[in-house]
Amino acid sequence: ALGEEPCADASWTDQPGVPLAVLTADCLPVVFVNDSETALAVAHAGWRGLSAGILENTLRYLGDPKTLRVWLGPAISQRAFEVGEDVLEQFIGARGESARACFRQGAAPGKYHADLYGLARQALALAGVTHVTGGDRCTLGEPENFFSYRREGQTGRMATVVCLLPR
């Protein structure tokens, strides 16, 4: 109901005038809209959410993936996002060996640079989404434009807010 504050990593609506928002500071905000602009969604996609299927689960509420347009907002870039082998293994367990393409060996053994944008694009493509834009910014590397939890520790958040306009 309107006014309740649910705890979720994604939300969707088909009601004009109902805003949806997600807060991020290195994780990936993802916006979905159908071609007729009658339904939209927004998702918070960190590595945990991506490996758990947050994007695929969000798609279930929006109809045919081929009719969707998806925008990938600002997030930490692959060169700046080092993770442990446990993260790589979680994605391989969830998606198979194809996930390995979104990781590069880091400087130390057992460390990898994860590509959140690549992981999101891979999940969307496997689900049938053909129109994806964005995905070319780095929250850590652009301090003049974005907050970054990895850069600053305690920091602010960016809000991605979307809304269907009344017709």
Side-chain angles (χ1 to χ4, degrees):
L2 197 55
E4 291 181 16
E5 293 184 30
C7 181
D9 276 342
S11 56
W12 75 277
T13 189
D14 59 3
Q15 300 298 308
V18 176
L20 305 177
V22 65
L23 301 176
T24 58
D26 279 328
C27 291
L28 175 60
V30 182
V31 175
F32 307 76
V33 65
N34 64 2
D35 279 346
S36 59
E37 296 182 359
T38 57
L40 62 79
V42 64
H44 172 275
W47 74 263
R48 286 178 183 86
L50 284 169
S51 70
I54 187 67
L55 301 182
E56 298 90 331
N57 288 333
T58 304
L59 289 170
R60 295 183 334 186
Y61 298 93
L62 299 170
D64 182 359
K66 291 180 183 70
T67 69
L68 300 178
R69 290 172 284 157
V70 177
W71 175 74
L72 306 177
I76 195 165
S77 67
Q78 184 173 23
R79 67 176 155 52
F81 188 40
E82 190 173 68
V83 298
E85 191 163 4
D86 59 320
V87 175
L88 170 63
E89 293 302 325
Q90 191 158 340
F91 277 98
I92 290 173
R95 288 202 196 143
E97 284 296 319
S98 65
R100 194 177 295 276
C102 297
F103 291 83
R104 279 190 279 203
Q105 181 66 49
K111 295 293 184 178
Y112 296 87
H113 289 270
D115 183 359
L116 290 179
Y117 291 127
L119 289 162
R121 286 180 186 280
Q122 185 181 67
L124 293 165
L126 289 170
V129 176
T130 58
H131 186 85
V132 180
T133 59
D136 58 357
R137 306 301 296 266
C138 179
T139 52
L140 188 135
E142 297 180 54
E144 66 281 0
N145 295 317
F146 305 116
F147 294 112
S148 169
Y149 179 80
R150 289 242 172 165
R151 183 183 61 239
E152 300 164 28
Q154 193 164 0
T155 188
R157 300 289 187 266
M158 282 92 57
T160 301
V161 182
V162 295
C163 184
L164 291 171
L165 298 176
R167 295 193 169 239

